[in-house]
Amino acid sequence: MSVYKDTTQGTWYTVFRYVDWTGKKKQKMKRGFKTKKEALKFEKEFLHTTAADMDMQMDSFINIYFEDKKNELKANSVRNKRLMINKHIIPYFGTKKMNEITPADIIQWQNLIQEKNLSKTYERMIQNQINALFNHAQKIYNLKDNPCKKVKRIGKSDADKLEFWTKDEYDRFIAGIEQGSEDYLMFEILFWTGIREGELLSLCLSDFDMERNLLHINKTYSRINKKDLIDTPETSCQGLFNQIHKKATKKVPEALSCS
């Protein structure tokens, strides 16, 4: 292992050679590790990636998976997936080797998940995450089999019952909000367009097309690791704005405009 201490920065870095997928010899250097152990782990996982070695633990492969997907997944999606994986997958499979996990292991894990009394839709989301890991390992790194494919999936993709306000319920609610206020405008937009909270929080004055009664939804706001992030929404859409109360649309509060 080629790991060294950067005395000027007080951090560690690694320099090593490897052979890429084309057979070409290359050198890799990575700085900024807080400890020698972190630098060694990075080198080991990187070499596992290039060698497509499935004789690695799942927790190591998960890091490779997210590295491969870094230009495909949005920051908010990465955060949500990692939270789900860290809570429901790593505690059971983290130290198990990818090529040694069997369908029987998946069944035992599913039983534990079902004992948590989670919603059926959330169970299916967790199932989809572990299936995605094995699919990626099989497709990209030559894992022989995806053990999830031999087992019935848990949960269901659609919720049994969706909770939402009827028009009468919303009318009773909005009657208690001062017309023309920021709260009034925000609830009107949320109810009549169906956009997400993050999409609402990212709105700028330029997104409101008053002449054509359109609201352009082309970004979303999230806060990750104490940082404000603006990204594209999960679904590209354009919200109709013609049903929002006229008094609320005459003037957009400064709090919703971009500086």
Side-chain angles (χ1 to χ4, degrees), residues 165-183:
W165 275 346
T166 64
K167 174 63 165 53
D168 289 339
E169 289 172 333
Y170 175 71
D171 285 341
R172 290 197 297 271
F173 165 79
I174 200 64
I177 307 296
E178 180 184 355
Q179 291 192 13
S181 66
E182 289 183 17
D183 290 342

Side-chain angles (χ1 to χ4, degrees), residues 59-82:
D59 56 358
S60 296
F61 178 74
I62 287 169
N63 292 328
I64 293 173
Y65 171 82
F66 281 109
E67 178 66 21
D68 289 347
K69 297 289 185 177
K70 65 182 180 181
N71 295 324
E72 179 181 334
L73 298 174
K74 296 182 175 62
N76 197 46
S77 294
V78 171
R79 180 189 63 176
N80 293 337
K81 286 176 178 289
R82 276 199 176 275

Side-chain angles (χ1 to χ4, degrees), residues 159-166 169:
D160 292 326
K161 182 179 180 181
L162 293 176
E163 297 292 340
F164 58 89
W165 275 346
T166 64
E169 289 172 333

Side-chain angles (χ1 to χ4, degrees), residues 25 52 54 102-103 225:
K25 293 183 179 180
M54 286 292 96
T102 66
N225 297 327

Side-chain angles (χ1 to χ4, degrees), residues 20 29 39 49 57 61 67 88 109 120 135 151 162 166 240:
D20 69 9
M29 181 176 183
T49 304
Q57 294 182 175
F61 178 74
E67 178 66 21
H88 299 293
W109 167 77
K120 293 302 179 182
N135 277 341
V151 175
L162 293 176
T166 64
L240 289 177

Side-chain angles (χ1 to χ4, degrees), residues 91-245:
Y92 190 89
F93 290 112
T95 58
K96 293 180 181 292
K97 294 182 178 181
M98 290 293 291
N99 58 9
E100 294 180 355
I101 297 174
T102 66
D105 291 327
I106 300 297
I107 290 176
Q108 293 176 22
W109 167 77
Q110 287 178 332
N111 290 338
L112 291 176
I113 295 298
Q114 290 177 313
E115 289 174 3
K116 295 182 179 182
N117 293 320
L118 305 170
S119 70
K120 293 302 179 182
T121 50
Y122 192 65
E123 283 184 2
R124 178 57 60 86
M125 291 172 66
I126 299 170
Q127 175 77 57
N128 289 343
Q129 294 307 315
I130 194 170
N131 190 54
L133 292 173
F134 281 111
N135 277 341
H136 190 69
Q138 186 178 31
K139 181 178 180 181
I140 306 300
Y141 297 107
N142 301 318
L143 181 67
K144 184 178 179 180
D145 294 306
N146 177 352
C148 294
K149 292 183 178 180
K150 298 180 180 181
V151 175
K152 184 178 179 180
R153 291 188 296 173
I154 58 175
K156 55 173 56 177
S157 57
D158 297 321
D160 292 326
K161 182 179 180 181
L162 293 176
E163 297 292 340
F164 58 89
W165 275 346
T166 64
K167 174 63 165 53
D168 289 339
E169 289 172 333
Y170 175 71
D171 285 341
R172 290 197 297 271
F173 165 79
I174 200 64
I177 307 296
E178 180 184 355
Q179 291 192 13
S181 66
E182 289 183 17
D183 290 342
Y184 184 88
L185 177 58
M186 287 190 291
F187 282 117
E188 286 280 86
I189 293 174
L190 287 170
F191 183 79
W192 291 112
T193 66
I195 65 174
R196 303 176 178 91
E197 292 180 20
E199 294 164 345
L200 172 74
L201 294 172
S202 70
L203 289 177
C204 298
L205 185 58
S206 59
D207 295 323
F208 293 80
D209 185 343
M210 300 303 184
E211 292 185 0
R212 296 192 299 162
N213 289 326
L214 289 175
L215 176 58
H216 300 279
I217 309 301
N218 49 32
K219 55 191 175 300
T220 187
Y221 164 86
S222 59
R223 185 170 178 80
I224 301 176
N225 297 327
K226 298 182 180 180
K227 293 183 179 179
D228 297 322
L229 298 177
I230 299 294
D231 205 343
T232 54
E234 295 184 13
T235 305
S236 178
C237 63
Q238 211 178 48
L240 289 177
F241 194 47
N242 58 354
Q243 296 187 74
I244 296 179
H245 197 284

